[in-house]
């Protein structure tokens, strides 16, 4: 067995681990990176990249079918599902070199293609290697949750890890789970010609603002997605090409393919964290505000840290621990400014608390500034008027923003910037956006906050009247 000593050991070559390894190696640390599966992790191979590539194809198909609203002759697109999947895998192939073993070895990282297992508080075994490290970062990510449903073990099913290997379009896709993954894949497949039924035990998009989620769900239903809420699946039966679901209330749903989209579980089974004094739960590795585990040599970042499960959060976590590991400086992971988005059409994005959460925490001090897409000239020109933005404001500062509409995921970044820098609504209102752009919705929402103060205030009218009377 080869023994290796290093400054930093990173376990997992997904978004979080790659960010730490690249940053640390380029700043002079000796780094070893372990990965037992694919370089790039879930985001490149099973998640963000392939799903957004598929959504792009579906969006193009929808645009062709609906071009009549723009004065053109609409036509039903001719969809070859296998060619669509070729597009998906080509996008993945173009990004893969950025996450490749060769690139990281070129940066000076030693890459070992094995899974890691703790054998002590500072030692990890990986294949025929035993690695001792001053600091260790666990970045093993998460995997799709397979729920304990009767009969599921005898029925073929898809997860995000197998969906993009399909070559034939599902005739009728059954999806268990009405969260972001379920909703994105439901809309994409119905646009690509599949029949789609989504079964959700609670409320679809239940973590999002209900008013904003309703806009998305209405759009999906109008496109043909059958959405069944408040229905718990209790039994699954069937075979390849013929699957049936039964719900607690006795209903039955038949389809050709089954996709599980009911959540994710942290990848900790192989780690043997107890051997290193690392406390873990079914949510992941227990960490403090600096992302340190109960073993002070060991950090956990990204999905495995048990918090928000997004690629951009993994990258943010990497920046937090690099500061601590490389420079021995105090560094804490905040969450208030971390946004998320669901890439349906229209998109749904959130940063900070929703309206209900803000009112629960701040009561009557919360003011809501709102602007509808239907009053945005660019949205009118492109016939994309569904949606709105609302900003939760306390004492003149935004504390959260909800956006549903075209490019909501692009617009929410401005409000993350505002939250992390404690900007005032007056500073957002002072921004100048080019006209006509969808981005104007942000400025107009900030302006809406001041509308009652400027245009509905008797005091302002008196002051203006006095000034005009005294002007020469």
């Amino acid at each position: 067995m080869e023994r290796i000593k290093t400054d930093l050991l990173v376990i997992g070559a997904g978004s979080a681990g790659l960010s730490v390894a690249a940053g640390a190696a380029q700043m002079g640390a000796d780094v070893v990176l372990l990965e037992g599966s694919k370089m790039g992790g879930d985001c490149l191979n099973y998640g963000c990249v392939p799903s957004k590539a598929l959504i792009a194809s579906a969006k193009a198909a929808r645009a062709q079918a609906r071009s009549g609203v723009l004065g053109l002759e609409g036509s039903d697109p001719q969809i070859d599902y296998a060619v669509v999947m070729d597009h998906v895998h080509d996008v993945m192939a173009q990004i893969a070199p950025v996450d490749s073993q060769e690139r990281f070895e070129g940066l000076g990282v030693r890459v070992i293609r094995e899974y890691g297992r703790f054998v002590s508080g500072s030692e990890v075994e990986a294949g025929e290697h035993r690695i001792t490290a001053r600091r260790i970062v666990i970045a093993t990510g998460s995997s799709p949750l397979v729920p304990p449903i009767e009969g599921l073990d005898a029925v073929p099913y898809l997860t995000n890890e197998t969906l993009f290997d399909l070559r034939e379009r599902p005739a009728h896709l059954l999806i268990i789970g009405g969260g972001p993954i379920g909703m994105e894949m439901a809309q994409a497949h119905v646009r690509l010609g599949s029949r789609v039924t989504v079964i959700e035990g609670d409320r679809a998009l239940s973590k999002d603002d209900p008013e904003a989620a309703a806009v998305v769900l209405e759009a999906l239903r109008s496109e043909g997605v059958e959405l069944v809420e408040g229905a718990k699946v209790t039994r699954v039966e069937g075979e390849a090409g013929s699957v049936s679901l039964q719900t607690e209330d006795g209903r039955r749903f038949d389809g050709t393919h089954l996709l599980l989209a009911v959540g994710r579980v942290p990848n900790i089974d192989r780690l043997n964290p107890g051997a290193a004094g690392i406390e873990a739960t079914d949510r992941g590795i227990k960490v403090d505000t600096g992302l340190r585990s109960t073993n002070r040599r060991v950090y956990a970042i990204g999905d495995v840290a048990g918090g928000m499960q997004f690629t951009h959060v993994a990258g943010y976590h990497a920046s937090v621990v690099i500061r601590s590991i490389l420079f021995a400086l105090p560094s804490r992971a905040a969450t208030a400014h971390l946004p998320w988005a669901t890439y349906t059409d229209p998109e749904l994005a959130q940063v900070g608390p929703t309206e209900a959460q803000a009112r629960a925490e701040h009561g009557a001090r919360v003011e809501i500034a709102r602007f509808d897409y239907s009053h945005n000239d660019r949205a009118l020109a492109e016939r994309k008027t569904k949606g709105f933005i609302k900003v939760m404001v306390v004492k003149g500062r935004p504390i959260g923003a909800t956006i549903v509409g075209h490019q909501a995921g692009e617009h929410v970044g401005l409000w993350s910037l505002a939250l992390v820098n404690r900007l005032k609504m007056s500073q957002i209102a002072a921004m100048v956006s080019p006209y006509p752009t969808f981005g104007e919705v942000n400025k107009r929402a900030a302006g809406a906050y001041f509308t009652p103060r400027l245009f509905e205030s008797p005091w302002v009218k008196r002051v203006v009247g006095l000034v005009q009377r005294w002007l020469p």
Side-chain angles (χ1 to χ4, degrees):
M1 178 173 288
E2 181 185 7
R3 293 184 176 272
I4 302 169
K5 289 188 176 181
T6 188
D7 296 327
L8 175 62
L9 171 63
V10 180
I11 308 175
S15 299
L18 293 178
S19 296
V20 170
Q26 290 178 93
M27 286 190 277
D30 184 44
V31 181
V32 174
L33 174 64
L34 303 182
E35 177 52 67
S37 185
K38 295 182 178 181
M39 297 289 290
D42 187 82
C43 181
L44 171 62
N45 298 290
Y46 315 118
C48 315
V49 173
S51 66
K52 302 315 167 283
L54 186 72
I55 287 170
S57 294
K59 188 175 291 186
R62 176 70 172 175
Q64 181 176 331
R66 293 190 70 248
S67 59
V69 301
L70 297 175
L72 306 175
E73 184 177 346
S75 62
D76 292 333
Q78 300 300 307
I79 299 167
D80 187 326
Y81 193 79
V83 175
V84 169
M85 284 301 182
D86 287 341
H87 152 70
V88 170
H89 285 271
D90 180 64
V91 172
M92 294 163 60
Q94 289 187 55
I95 297 174
V98 178
D99 294 348
S100 68
Q101 178 172 342
E102 292 76 15
R103 174 174 179 258
F104 277 79
E105 288 175 339
L107 294 175
V109 177
R110 178 165 183 184
V111 181
I112 298 174
R113 302 302 293 275
E114 299 282 357
Y115 291 106
R117 178 178 179 274
F118 282 96
V119 293
S120 75
S122 61
E123 294 176 298
V124 171
E125 280 190 0
E128 295 302 313
H129 311 275
R130 175 169 288 198
I131 304 140
T132 304
R134 297 177 186 275
R135 295 291 182 268
I136 300 171
V137 174
I138 301 173
T140 49
S142 63
S143 298
L145 170 66
V146 178
I149 299 174
E150 183 182 353
L152 186 59
D153 57 346
V155 175
Y157 60 83
L158 300 163
T159 68
N160 71 297
E161 292 186 353
T162 55
L163 175 64
F164 304 106
D165 292 330
L166 290 180
R167 300 296 296 173
E168 294 185 7
R169 178 177 59 200
H172 187 175
L173 180 62
L174 303 175
I175 302 176
I176 302 179
I181 295 174
M183 292 296 94
E184 289 178 0
M185 292 300 96
Q187 187 177 45
H189 278 84
V190 82
R191 288 179 166 189
L192 292 171
S194 298
R195 183 181 171 191
V196 178
T197 300
V198 180
I199 315 294
E200 167 56 47
D202 188 13
R203 175 176 65 84
L205 298 175
S206 59
K207 294 183 179 180
D208 287 284
D209 176 275
E211 183 187 12
V215 175
V216 174
L217 300 181
E218 179 186 0
L220 266 65
R221 286 189 171 106
S222 72
E223 294 184 24
V225 174
E226 181 184 10
L227 177 57
V228 183
E229 297 177 281
K232 183 179 179 181
V233 177
T234 55
R235 180 173 175 78
V236 179
E237 57 187 22
E239 56 189 15
S242 179
V243 181
S244 295
L245 308 181
Q246 295 178 17
T247 58
E248 201 169 41
D249 57 8
R251 284 180 287 176
R252 178 188 175 103
F253 300 90
D254 299 317
T256 59
H257 293 71
L258 172 61
L259 172 64
L260 302 181
V262 291
R264 301 186 65 78
V265 293
N267 293 329
I268 57 177
D269 291 347
R270 291 186 174 92
L271 286 173
N272 191 30
I278 299 168
E279 186 176 343
T281 69
D282 57 359
R283 289 181 55 84
I285 304 295
K286 182 179 179 181
V287 294
D288 61 16
T289 57
L291 300 171
R292 256 191 171 122
S293 74
T294 47
N295 177 338
R296 291 188 59 78
R297 288 178 178 265
V298 181
Y299 298 76
I301 62 175
D303 289 7
V304 78
M308 298 169 71
Q309 296 181 332
F310 303 106
T311 296
H312 53 278
V313 174
Y316 168 66
H317 281 178
S319 68
V320 171
V321 300
I322 280 177
R323 175 183 171 91
S324 177
I325 292 171
L326 298 188
F327 302 105
L329 295 172
S331 188
R332 300 175 63 183
T335 57
H337 68 294
L338 298 179
W340 68 89
T342 299
Y343 297 96
T344 47
D345 183 10
E347 293 182 359
L348 175 58
Q350 180 72 41
V351 64
T354 63
E355 179 180 353
Q357 292 166 340
R359 291 193 186 282
E361 182 176 352
H362 298 281
R365 292 185 299 158
V366 176
E367 296 179 77
I368 307 299
R370 181 183 178 119
F371 185 75
D372 289 352
Y373 271 64
S374 58
H375 300 305
N376 176 272
D377 292 356
R378 183 65 176 273
L380 287 164
E382 297 196 17
R383 304 293 189 187
K384 295 174 180 175
T385 55
K386 290 181 180 178
F388 61 84
I389 174 175
K390 59 181 175 181
V391 184
M392 282 53 74
V393 187
V394 174
K395 295 182 178 179
R397 296 184 190 274
I399 62 167
T402 300
I403 311 176
V404 60
H406 183 62
Q407 295 183 337
E410 307 291 336
H411 304 321
V412 77
L414 173 67
W415 297 100
S416 172
L417 175 72
L419 266 58
V420 76
N421 290 290
R422 290 184 50 79
L423 299 183
K424 297 179 180 179
M425 291 296 280
S426 58
Q427 293 169 297
I428 305 297
M431 175 186 68
V432 177
S433 291
Y435 173 88
T437 57
F438 285 96
E440 285 183 284
V441 297
N442 291 316
K443 178 179 173 64
R444 294 293 295 274
Y449 174 74
F450 293 102
T451 295
R453 291 164 169 79
L454 294 176
F455 303 139
E456 300 171 14
S457 168
W459 181 83
V460 171
K461 287 180 170 62
R462 285 197 297 269
V463 170
V464 170
L466 286 171
V467 170
Q468 297 305 307
R469 207 170 296 135
W470 284 98
L471 282 175

